[in-house]
Amino acid sequence: MALTRFLSFFRRSQKDNIPTPLPNSIQDIYQKAANGHVLEQVLWGKTLLNSQYVTPDHKKAYDWFTIAAQAHYGPAHNMLGRCAQFGWGCPLDLPTAVQHYRRAAELNDLWGIYNLAICTMRGLGTLKNMKEAFTLFHRAAHKGHPKSMNLLARFIEEGWETPRDPRAALDWYRRSAEGGDYRGQHNYATILLSQNRPQEALSLWQRAVHDATPDILLAMERELSRPHAPKDPELKALLDEKLTILRAQQENAASS
């Protein structure tokens, strides 16, 4: 009953703050969220975090995630964990983030399992425990989570909490790359290049460069700058453009 009253109040409080017109797909998400659909409540919360269609409002996003989490929806707990980890709409609180990730993992949300594994591996908001992290990555990877596949491959490649097995690591990097994870694509490409398979490596880097974070962009630059690395003018131009923007942002941040 309390949740019903809260949701009714929340619908009324939101109505005047939604810009119109919205694209039909975004409007549909909002309407379903307001009508109690937990998936769309999480999607609408993500829209409020970062979208070109509405003014960002992290506090309201947090509230929508809270509504969905009260229905024991794993992805909502994962997003509450993200909010607590980065201070989106609530105080930054790593132990609370871990609690939400753990609850998401209990509800079999793959992103929750992955984020809990990351925190456990790094000791963020909880004690560092590489054995538990390996178990979590293993669990999510075997359920089809590409980013977990990449980290599982790293554990196997390095022999962390499991015997080293380069062949198995290569297979998990491949599966991660095929699943669309840019880190998996970069790591698999690096191994392929060492095996004298340059065109396959280039194909993976061409896919990875669009979404890659600064650390992976810099790693790609190092690999492609080696004397015998394959040449791809279009890839190099795109990589140079992204790195130029990155370095300008770093210089602006340092001078501000």
Side-chain angles (χ1 to χ4, degrees):
M1 183 65 69
L3 177 57
T4 301
R5 289 198 300 270
F6 178 45
L7 184 55
S8 176
F9 166 78
F10 203 78
R11 290 177 190 162
R12 294 195 303 271
S13 68
Q14 287 284 313
K15 283 183 179 178
D16 293 338
N17 297 325
I18 305 303
T20 55
L22 285 173
N24 290 339
S25 59
I26 304 298
Q27 183 66 37
D28 185 56
I29 288 172
Y30 170 69
Q31 292 297 335
K32 287 183 178 179
N35 287 325
H37 295 260
V38 290
L39 170 59
E40 282 75 18
Q41 286 168 352
V42 170
L43 293 176
W44 181 245
K46 290 181 178 181
T47 300
L48 290 170
L49 285 178
N50 181 25
S51 172
Q52 62 178 313
Y53 300 111
V54 299
T55 302
D57 191 327
H58 291 183
K59 180 60 174 67
K60 287 180 181 175
Y62 179 87
D63 289 341
W64 280 106
F65 298 142
T66 299
I67 292 172
Q70 289 175 344
H72 309 293
Y73 187 51
H77 278 286
N78 176 64
M79 289 309 302
L80 285 174
R82 299 288 284 172
C83 288
Q85 183 173 355
F86 297 103
W88 299 336
C90 65
L92 193 155
D93 186 336
L94 290 178
T96 295
V98 170
Q99 290 176 10
H100 282 296
Y101 291 146
R102 197 171 298 281
R103 180 56 180 148
E106 290 170 354
L107 293 167
N108 293 312
D109 178 64
L110 297 185
W111 279 107
I113 297 170
Y114 170 80
N115 286 323
L116 178 60
I118 290 290
C119 289
T120 305
M121 180 176 71
R122 297 176 179 171
L124 300 174
T126 187
L127 293 176
K128 181 175 179 177
N129 187 327
M130 294 292 280
K131 184 176 182 179
E132 182 183 356
F134 171 74
T135 299
L136 289 164
F137 287 131
H138 186 278
R139 175 183 167 193
H142 279 80
K143 289 180 177 291
H145 190 254
K147 285 190 174 296
S148 296
M149 294 175 186
N150 176 64
L151 268 298
L152 178 62
R154 182 71 185 279
F155 271 71
I156 296 171
E157 182 181 28
E158 301 293 342
W160 297 338
E161 304 299 334
T162 187
R164 290 188 71 252
D165 188 339
R167 182 174 295 180
L170 179 64
D171 184 58
W172 280 112
Y173 281 134
R174 176 188 60 78
R175 293 171 69 174
S176 174
E178 291 175 352
D181 178 50
Y182 62 84
R183 292 182 184 276
Q185 289 165 348
H186 168 71
N187 289 330
Y188 188 42
T190 301
I191 295 172
L192 290 177
L193 189 60
S194 71
Q195 295 178 343
N196 196 30
R197 297 162 67 181
Q199 294 308 311
E200 292 173 81
L202 280 177
S203 178
L204 287 166
W205 278 318
Q206 288 162 356
R207 293 165 58 191
V209 69
H210 298 284
D211 298 318
T213 48
D215 60 320
I216 297 299
L217 292 173
L218 291 169
M220 288 173 59
E221 182 184 46
R222 287 193 297 272
E223 291 297 328
L224 290 168
S225 297
R226 296 184 187 280
H228 300 294
K231 306 302 179 185
D232 184 325
E234 290 186 9
L235 175 59
K236 185 178 186 306
L238 182 56
L239 181 59
D240 288 345
E241 178 185 353
K242 284 182 169 287
L243 287 171
T244 297
I245 294 172
L246 170 64
R247 286 162 180 150
Q249 291 173 339
Q250 292 173 335
E251 290 175 2
N252 290 336
S255 61
S256 61

